Every structure is written in structure tokens, then in C-alpha cells.
Amino acid sequence: MFIILIWEYGGRYEKKFLGRFLGLTALMFTLLFTTASAEVYEGTGYGYNQDGIVLGVEIKDNKIIDIQIKKEQESDFAKPAIKEIIKRAIATQSYEVDGVSGASLTSEGTKEAIEEAVKASGAKLTKVDAAFKTNTKLPRQADVVVIGGGGAGLTSAIAAYEKGASVILIEKTELLGGNTNYATAGLNAAGTSVQKKLGIEDSAELFYEDTMKGGKNRNNKALVKVLTGKSSAIVDWLLERGADLNELTSTGGQSAKRTHRPTGGSAVGPNIITALSNVAEKDKIDIRKGTKAIVLVKNNNKISGVKVKEANGEEYIIKAKAVIVATGGFGANAKMVEKYNPKLKGFGSTNNPAIVGDGIVMIEKIGGALVDMDQIQTHPTVLHKKTNMITEAVRGEGAILVNKDGKRFIDELETRDVVSKAILDQKGKSAFLIFDEEIRTKLKAADGYVKKGYAVEGTLEEIAAKIGTDAKTLEATLNKYNEAVKNKADNEFKKKTLPKELTGTKYYAIEVSPAVHHTMGGVRINTNAEVLGKNGRPIKGLYAAGEVTGGIHGANRIGGNAVADITVFGKIAGENAATYSKSVK
């Protein structure tokens, strides 16, 4: 055929035609003997944010080649979970992979999106048994080892690094943030640059008095002095490292507007974790996720390291001159909660599932002292029969609580223990949080609750029908409350802070009840964040910060004090651990 065609066209056309013919022949062979090109299929899943996670899954020859994120609006702390699930799905050629602890909703949404895309493609995937191995050649020695990657742990690690120490931070889950990711309201601090800009008068002394009163005067006075006295400086420290704490609100039990939060009222925890994670990444701090501390190593009455376990089961010791324990409390450990406070048996929890008290147990095993273990706080406004916390900032902006009869029953900004008890005393052991369109618009968290379907909405009459109460009673309750706001005097419940009237034609109601929220008890420390032994003396080389410690909050924690606690004492622990490590040969 080649000979005939070339002869027929002859001469000067010969090379030109031959080139075209060979090109067409190559294309024909490609079409006949190669497989179809990869195609991209879209899938949508629903995680924490109900706007959905949209993924583009590239599939060829019944295999997942790649997965791209098309759209997602998950919380900053949960975003890494999307990438982790994608990595696992490609490695195993399956959407039936383990979720990422601490981000279960985001994990499920990501898997749903991959599943939908795969089913749309018609591909028949062959599952691969892929083992995720750990790089065991990583350094096994550092000046300072930090256990826990939440707000206290990250603050400690950065502070130690900035003091010149080599640092390894280990986090047992695959996400940084811990319970700090769930912190919503803000960070309490007094006499800050932010307050001065906004004309708010406050002082460390007033902050101290409020904290002691809120804790029923069971607080360790020396620790509270440190917390309140260093609160202003920690706000500046965080601002310098990229956190947004430029807006103020109030939470229960405070005499001044001192709860610092991100602009627009978004959640404080994820904002701080994102900022600190960026700093740690920039500083190239050695952070190991999926690495669990199992034993504190102690020699000659001082800490010398940590025994850890990797996700693949491998165990080894990381030698250290100092160790900082920042593993959080035990709010997600129902058995431990019941052990120390039997009255809370059967209560739900707002905590990250990983917050089970393992750091407290490790420290106790080597002779560390514990304090206030029976002091466990419930958060009064948690989605009824669920674990989703409704931030105190909603009440701080002016929302009220009504019972099933449509009546107020408490000063909404009383301390958490008082409000929790008052709700449990109501019919059905629940209440309804009522707020208006102005609060929803002003506070991002409130807007988020509505978008997630936590609230019913409508006119007052419609709201009353939906929550099963009398419309006239509910209207009378609001009118009476609004009069109190106008007159700046709540004669009924003596509420001191009356932010605004509830007005307009559109309202929202969320049914709430208390759940375990914070464990005030924990490891006993001194003002240097050193862990104390049962003999009252510091255990050399061992430091602790955050909810793993006890004594700071006494019998009740004021909302916004936890974020101050984890950062103030996290910084102290990091700096002191670094200084101590330089003295150890």
C-alpha cells in the first residue's frame, strides 16, 4: 500500500504525503491499541459545614489516579483531614478508609464525596492493603519534648524554640488543635492594647477578683495572679504571631468587656491554632502527628525522656532534658468523669474524643500530685441530646434563655455552674436560647448554628409554635426583657449586663441542655509551670500547661479563661523548660 500511494503521487508530493499518512496511521494505532484517557468525576459530601465538600476524582482503568478539592468551607483545623482522607483513598484505592480522629464529620464528608464520584464513574476499584509506615529515622533526642499539639502544646513548643531549645512536639491524633479547636467565645485578658483602643477600662486586679469569685475562691491564688497579671502580654504575643484578637465581648461572671475574639465574632480556637501552626511550620519545629506518648521516663529523680508509640505499633524512647505535658483534661473519658464526680454519670461531653486524661495518668504514675479532680464543669448551652456546644458569646451579645413555658428563669450571664443547674431544674431538663436577626448577623458563630440546622426560625408566633410554648407568654417575656434593657435594670433576675433589646420580625430558637465541658482538676503545678510531686517539690525537668493542670479555675471556670490559661502557662512552661534544659549536662 505504501509503495502504490507513493508511486501514484510521486515527485515533490512524496515526502509531504508520507508524513501526513504516517501521522494518521499513528493516531489510528493509538485509538485502537491504547486505553481511554482518564476522566474526572465530581462528588459532594457533607462534613462540619453544610455547604458541602466537592471533590474532583480522576479515574482511569478502574483506578483512582488523583483527587482534587473543588470546594470546601470546613473549619481551618479540619482542613488537613480532607487531604489525609484523599491520601488514604488513593493509596488503598477505596473510599472505605479510617477517618481522622478529631475531625470525624469532615472525614465522613470527604469519604462521601469520593464514594459519589466513584459510583458516578462506574469504576470497579480493587482495594489495596496499604500500610502507612512511619519514618523511624527521625531524631530521637531533643532539649525539650512537648506532649500534645493543642493550644498549650503549640504555645509551649514555640516559646521553647524561641528561647533557643531544640524541640520535638508529639501529637497522638493526626490533627493539631485538640480541645482548642472547639474554643469559641474568646480569650480573657485585662488592661490590653485592644481594650485601650476601644476605650474599655479594666485591670489585672479586677480580672483576678472575678476569677476567684467565679471559682468559689477554691482557686490557687498564686496561679490566678500569674494568669491575670500576664494576660495582657499574652494577647500582644499572639497578635505578633498572627492571631486575630481585635474584637471584644463578654461572657458570664465578668465585670468588664475582656473576652478577646477574632473580628466578626468567629471562633477563637481555630484562629489561634492556625496562627501558631503557621509559626511552628515557619520555624521548622519537629511536629510528629500520630505519635502517642505512653510513658514518662524518669531517672535519678528527674525526667529524661518519653516512650512513644507510632501508628504502626513501633515503640521507642525520645530522650529529652525537659518534657512539657499539654495533653488536655479528661472530659471525654466518661468513666474517669464518673470516678471523680458520680453525679455526672451519663452526661454527654463537648470535648474532642481524644481528651481522655492520659497525661494526668502518666504523671500520676511517676509520683505527680493531683488537685481538684472532682471539680468538673458542665457547659449550660449544648445542643439538646447532642454534643455541639453553643458558645456563651450568643448570650453575651444579648440572647435570652426561656423554659418550655416561654418564661425566663435565670440571669443568662451567671456563671456556668449556676446556669447549668437552673436549666436542669426546668421542665424536661432543657431550655431554649432565643436571639434575633441582629445577633445572627453580628456573630458568625450564631449564623453558623442557623446554617447547620440547629435553630428553628420565624416570627415570635411561629417560634412559639415550633418549640411548643404559648405565643402570648413568649411575647410578654420578650417585652418585659426589652423594658429591662431600656431601663438598664433587670428587676426580675438582677442581670447586670443587658447588651440589647431583642427586636425585629425574625427570631431563632435553639434547644439546649448542659454537658460536661471542662475539667478544672488535674496535675498540681507551681507558678513556673513545674509539676509538683506528692511531697510538694517540683519533679525536675517536668512541666505542664493547659487543662491537664488543676488549681487555676477552682470550682468553676469562667468562659474565656481557658484560652488565657493554655497560652499564658504554655508560654511559661516553654520558656522555663528551655532554660532548664540548658543547665542539664
Side-chain angles (χ1 to χ4, degrees):
M1 184 177 177
F2 273 82
I3 296 169
I4 295 170
L5 287 170
I6 292 169
W7 172 79
E8 195 171 312
Y9 276 81
R12 59 196 179 117
Y13 298 103
E14 187 176 281
K15 288 183 181 178
K16 183 178 179 182
F17 180 81
L18 181 59
R20 286 180 179 176
F21 178 79
L22 290 174
L24 289 168
T25 305
L27 176 61
M28 181 180 70
F29 271 79
T30 299
L31 292 171
L32 286 172
F33 297 106
T34 62
T35 58
S37 60
E39 290 190 43
V40 177
Y41 299 86
E42 276 197 1
T44 302
Y46 295 92
Y48 189 76
N49 189 300
Q50 290 303 300
D51 287 340
I53 299 166
V54 181
L55 303 178
V57 181
E58 187 178 349
I59 295 174
K60 179 180 177 181
D61 295 341
N62 293 313
K63 288 184 179 178
I64 298 174
I65 305 301
D66 193 20
I67 301 174
Q68 296 295 325
I69 301 169
K70 300 285 188 180
K71 187 186 89 170
E72 60 83 17
Q73 293 185 31
E74 296 298 283
S75 302
D76 285 345
F77 79 84
K79 291 180 191 293
I82 301 176
K83 293 180 180 178
E84 180 63 27
I85 295 297
I86 286 172
K87 183 178 85 172
R88 294 177 185 182
I90 294 171
T92 62
Q93 288 297 300
S94 173
Y95 45 78
E96 294 177 341
V97 295
D98 291 336
V100 174
S101 56
S104 55
L105 289 174
T106 301
S107 298
E108 290 306 312
T110 306
K111 289 191 279 184
E112 283 173 13
I114 299 170
E115 180 181 9
E116 184 177 282
V118 170
K119 287 182 176 177
S121 75
K124 304 296 181 186
L125 302 179
T126 302
K127 192 169 183 178
V128 176
D129 185 14
F132 294 93
K133 295 181 180 178
T134 305
N135 182 359
T136 55
K137 293 182 181 179
L138 290 169
R140 295 189 179 182
Q141 185 168 342
D143 293 334
V144 177
V145 170
V146 179
I147 307 173
L154 282 168
T155 302
S156 296
I158 292 166
Y161 173 84
E162 290 177 355
K163 271 279 188 179
S166 60
V167 180
I168 295 173
L169 183 150
I170 59 174
E171 165 56 45
K172 69 180 179 181
T173 72
E174 287 132 340
L175 291 178
L176 295 176
N179 256 4
T180 311
N181 284 329
Y182 299 169
T184 309
L187 181 159
N188 291 342
T192 68
S193 56
V194 176
Q195 285 178 316
K196 287 169 186 172
K197 275 183 192 176
L198 298 173
I200 304 296
E201 291 187 17
D202 196 9
S203 68
E205 292 74 24
L206 185 59
F207 186 12
Y208 172 85
E209 289 172 13
D210 287 344
T211 300
M212 291 300 298
K213 182 181 177 183
K216 316 297 183 193
N217 288 303
R218 280 192 57 158
N219 323 55
N220 180 309
K221 292 178 181 179
L223 296 178
V224 177
K225 282 283 185 187
V226 171
L227 173 73
T228 55
K230 292 185 178 291
S231 64
S232 176
I234 203 66
V235 167
D236 288 335
W237 190 86
L238 289 165
L239 288 170
E240 288 165 7
R241 284 154 186 78
D244 178 3
L245 298 169
N246 294 297
E247 190 170 289
L248 294 173
T249 188
S250 297
T251 59
Q254 297 183 74
S255 303
K257 212 170 188 179
R258 66 169 68 101
T259 306
H260 295 64
R261 70 184 185 191
T263 307
S266 57
V268 68
N271 184 283
I272 287 176
I273 292 300
T274 298
L276 295 180
S277 297
N278 290 339
V279 171
E281 185 177 351
K282 177 180 67 69
D283 291 342
K284 294 183 170 57
I285 292 173
D286 186 347
I287 295 178
R288 304 181 189 178
K289 301 173 191 174
T291 303
K292 179 180 171 62
I294 51 177
V295 176
L296 292 168
V297 181
K298 186 179 176 187
N299 289 311
N300 300 321
N301 204 35
K302 66 180 181 181
I303 294 299
S304 60
V306 183
K307 187 175 184 181
V308 303
K309 185 175 184 178
E310 296 288 359
N312 64 359
E314 182 187 3
E315 296 181 4
Y316 58 92
I317 291 173
I318 302 176
K319 293 180 181 178
K321 295 174 181 177
V323 172
I324 301 169
V325 180
T327 51
F330 57 96
N333 187 334
K335 288 184 179 178
M336 199 166 174
V337 167
E338 184 185 346
K339 172 185 173 182
Y340 288 107
N341 192 331
K343 292 178 182 177
L344 296 175
K345 181 180 179 179
F347 268 57
S349 173
T350 64
N351 284 220
N352 180 308
I355 308 302
V356 293
D358 39 6
I360 294 171
V361 173
M362 277 191 289
I363 288 175
E364 189 180 24
K365 281 182 179 177
I366 61 157
L370 307 183
V371 61
D372 293 340
M373 290 297 286
D374 62 329
Q375 298 303 309
I376 300 170
Q377 182 184 70
T378 58
H379 194 288
T381 55
V382 177
L383 200 61
H384 189 48
K385 295 185 178 179
K386 303 284 183 182
T387 60
N388 312 87
M389 185 186 76
I390 308 301
T391 176
E392 203 158 9
V394 180
R395 285 173 284 143
E397 293 297 334
I400 63 170
L401 285 166
V402 302
N403 57 24
K404 293 191 175 181
D405 293 325
K407 296 178 180 180
R408 285 180 71 216
F409 54 90
I410 188 72
D411 167 2
E412 289 82 3
L413 291 177
E414 257 289 1
T415 54
R416 289 175 172 178
D417 58 331
V418 173
V419 179
S420 291
K421 183 179 183 305
I423 291 174
L424 291 173
D425 287 341
Q426 304 309 304
K427 192 188 302 178
K429 298 185 183 296
S430 70
F432 295 95
L433 193 63
I434 308 289
F435 57 98
D436 62 12
E437 185 68 17
E438 186 181 341
I439 292 174
R440 177 192 173 173
T441 303
K442 184 178 180 182
L443 188 64
K444 285 183 181 178
D447 182 54
Y449 301 144
V450 173
K451 286 180 177 175
K452 289 168 190 170
Y454 297 171
V456 295
E457 58 186 86
T459 63
L460 267 187
E461 190 175 349
E462 289 168 339
I463 288 284
K466 289 175 181 178
I467 66 175
T469 194
D470 179 67
K472 288 182 179 178
T473 303
L474 184 60
E475 185 180 357
T477 296
L478 252 69
N479 289 340
K480 191 172 185 179
Y481 179 75
N482 288 341
E483 277 298 311
V485 176
K486 280 181 191 176
N487 298 328
K488 297 182 179 179
D490 177 18
N491 296 324
E492 197 171 14
F493 297 106
K494 311 302 178 188
K495 185 175 180 178
K496 294 175 185 175
T497 305
L498 298 160
K500 70 178 292 294
E501 295 177 51
L502 296 174
T503 58
T505 57
K506 194 169 188 181
Y507 295 87
Y508 302 88
I510 303 175
E511 188 173 9
V512 294
S513 55
V516 170
H517 183 56
H518 189 95
T519 50
M520 277 80 71
V523 177
R524 191 185 290 272
I525 59 169
N526 61 19
T527 54
N528 294 320
E530 295 173 292
V531 174
L532 301 179
K534 290 172 183 173
N535 58 8
R537 294 195 293 271
I539 297 173
K540 291 181 181 179
L542 185 59
Y543 300 80
E547 198 176 346
V548 71
T549 68
I552 295 169
H553 305 291
N556 178 66
R557 178 179 64 82
I558 289 176
N561 273 9
V563 184
D565 172 14
I566 63 176
T567 50
V568 166
F569 283 96
K571 185 170 181 285
I572 290 169
E575 290 175 346
N576 288 339
T579 300
Y580 171 82
S581 72
K582 292 173 187 175
S583 70
V584 178
K585 294 179 181 180

